[in-house]
Amino acid sequence: PRPGGYLANLSQGGSAEANDDHHLVADHCRRIAESLGAQWLCVDWLTTPAGPVLNEWSTAHGGFTHLPQPQRDQVADAFFTWIH
């Protein structure tokens, strides 16, 4: 996070950098998705001195917000039918 802040979100003034943790989190993401039976998974990770820490995950919205209508509604309807 930015100095004096607590949010590490890039839009809130946080920063991002590349490191080798992506190899470890890619494996974790695959295992989480498989355990959920999810074909799509959006995951946020926090990097700490001890390694990556899971922040949040979602199987619903991340990849679909860029779809045009009516496809976005079709995906949402299919997803919520599956949840039900």
Side-chain angles (χ1 to χ4, degrees):
R2 69 174 174 247
Y6 65 94
L7 294 173
N9 186 305
L10 290 176
S11 68
Q12 299 294 320
S15 62
E17 64 183 60
N19 59 38
D20 288 332
D21 285 341
H22 68 279
H23 295 293
L24 179 60
V25 298
D27 181 55
H28 289 330
C29 289
R30 279 190 289 277
R31 290 180 26 227
I32 293 168
E34 288 171 4
S35 73
L36 296 169
Q39 294 180 346
W40 184 268
L41 183 69
C42 299
V43 183
D44 286 346
W45 294 92
L46 302 175
T47 301
T48 71
V53 174
L54 177 67
N55 181 45
E56 63 182 345
W57 59 266
S58 171
T59 59
H61 67 356
F64 307 122
T65 57
H66 70 282
L67 292 175
Q69 290 294 3
Q71 289 84 3
R72 186 177 353 171
D73 286 344
Q74 291 169 339
V75 169
D77 290 344
F79 178 75
F80 289 108
T81 298
W82 173 78
I83 287 176
H84 186 276

